[in-house]
Amino acid sequence: MENWYYADAERQRQGPLSAEELAQRFHQGRLRLDTLVWRDGMAEWQPLRDFTAELALHQAPAETFYTPAEPAAAATTAGGTAPAFGESSGDAAGSASPYAPPSAALTSDEAFYAGGEVVYAGFWKRVAAYMIDAMVIGIATQIVQLVVMGVFFGLSASSMSNPETMFASGTGILFVLALYVVPLAMNAAYYAAFHASSKQATLGKMAVGIKVVRTDGTRISLARGVGRFFGTILSSLTIGIGFLMAAFTERKQGLHDMICDTLVVDKWAYTAHPEWQKRELGTVTVVILAIFGVLILLFGAIMVFAMIGIASSMR
């Protein structure tokens, strides 16, 4: 008989149980399809839904009686204390006992799970995330550029009287390159590192609740993250059409997503809790779009008044 274990709401190991007992607890409503379970031979904990057919969970029992959960003392070992995950109960000889805790570690709620419904990130969620990221990385690059300019002009103080010779020198050429290369490198590093991280999202995407994945739902590599960043430059060169494609394509992919085989999805897609995904914009997205919308209107009003002032002064 195979011994099964499951993780309760406090992420504590419960068991061992037979397959029939495990199925009975599911039918009693004490376990859910996303409850993590384990048995001998499994490399890691998996959601109960993966064993629906094996445990015949889709077949309702003839009678279902609810019985209270066992008291904590019932789960204790002979020594009187319940073993924790990853701890051995007894000596080396006792570690082979079916009552010893499994060695596999519990995975987090955000661990990768294939299958399930996938909610793709819509165009406006991506716009809000980009606005946050642009502000964050923009401030960082401005600070670095100011430092570079300060160092350059400090080193070139003696030649500042002749700008032509100042920028024609090797130091001047390096300065001009640094002004363009450093921000580009910082942007590439920011987007690639965050997209390839365990969160699979930049700060803006984390705030909005979305992430970047491969088309099969797995995490992208750092190299693919760099390639995706430069792909966004290509989307920009198409007068923004590459970005607008995310509003009309079937899986909400921009041009850079299609080139790099990536998707932007809800943060709970491809996890043990796909039911936690949200289709609505969300509070953060609405607030960010409203703030930047007001700023754009103010900028437009200022430009209009400026042009009116210039036109009146030329009369």
Side-chain angles (χ1 to χ4, degrees), residues 3-205:
N3 292 312
W4 290 81
Y5 300 83
Y6 70 90
D8 61 19
E10 285 74 37
R11 301 182 69 80
Q12 297 298 313
R13 179 186 61 82
Q14 301 295 335
L17 303 171
S18 65
E20 293 76 14
E21 291 172 324
L22 192 70
Q24 183 184 30
R25 295 197 180 196
F26 170 76
H27 290 301
Q28 291 171 347
R30 298 163 65 183
L31 301 180
R32 304 190 312 174
L33 288 177
D34 57 4
T35 298
L36 296 177
V37 297
W38 185 91
R39 70 175 179 196
D40 293 333
M42 290 170 53
E44 60 182 16
W45 294 74
Q46 297 181 29
L48 186 59
R49 69 165 62 90
D50 292 352
F51 306 96
T52 300
E54 179 179 343
L55 298 173
L57 300 181
H58 59 286
Q59 299 177 2
E63 290 184 279
T64 299
F65 299 99
Y66 178 78
T67 55
E70 302 90 336
T76 60
T77 62
T81 57
F85 284 113
E87 295 180 353
S88 175
S89 56
D91 54 16
S95 62
S97 168
Y99 293 91
S103 58
L106 277 171
T107 54
S108 69
D109 288 336
E110 298 181 2
F112 171 73
Y113 288 91
E117 183 185 14
V118 176
V119 175
Y120 302 107
F123 177 75
W124 291 113
K125 282 188 177 182
R126 297 176 66 159
V127 169
Y130 176 78
M131 289 176 175
I132 296 173
D133 289 327
M135 182 176 64
V136 171
I137 193 64
I139 292 174
T141 54
Q142 287 294 319
I143 292 173
V144 171
Q145 283 182 314
L146 288 174
V147 172
V148 171
M149 292 175 65
V151 171
F152 171 73
F153 287 116
L155 295 174
S156 307
S158 59
S159 57
M160 289 184 64
S161 57
N162 189 350
E164 293 183 1
T165 59
M166 179 175 64
F167 287 100
S169 63
T171 304
I173 295 173
L174 290 176
F175 166 70
V176 174
L177 288 175
L179 282 181
Y180 291 96
V181 173
V182 170
L184 184 66
M186 289 180 64
N187 275 270
Y190 172 81
Y191 285 100
F194 273 103
H195 286 158
S197 69
S198 60
K199 293 294 185 181
Q200 300 171 263
T202 58
L203 297 177
K205 289 183 175 67

Side-chain angles (χ1 to χ4, degrees), residues 213-296:
V213 298
R214 293 285 303 275
T215 51
D216 60 0
T218 56
R219 187 194 307 182
I220 70 173
S221 64
L222 184 64
R224 189 175 296 273
V226 173
R228 188 178 185 276
F229 167 75
F230 285 102
T232 60
I233 296 178
L234 181 60
S235 292
S236 301
L237 294 176
T238 59
I239 323 175
I241 295 176
F243 292 112
L244 286 174
M245 289 171 62
F248 306 105
T249 53
E250 181 180 2
R251 295 195 289 178
K252 309 297 183 184
Q253 289 178 293
L255 177 61
H256 48 286
D257 290 314
M258 294 181 176
I259 293 173
C260 297
D261 189 44
T262 58
L263 297 170
V264 183
V265 298
D266 187 275
K267 64 175 291 187
W268 292 109
Y270 299 107
T271 69
H273 298 284
E275 70 277 8
W276 291 355
Q277 299 179 86
K278 297 180 180 179
R279 297 184 181 277
E280 62 271 15
L281 290 179
T283 303
V284 174
T285 301
V286 172
V287 170
I288 294 299
L289 292 175
I291 291 174
F292 278 88
V294 170
L295 292 176
I296 291 173

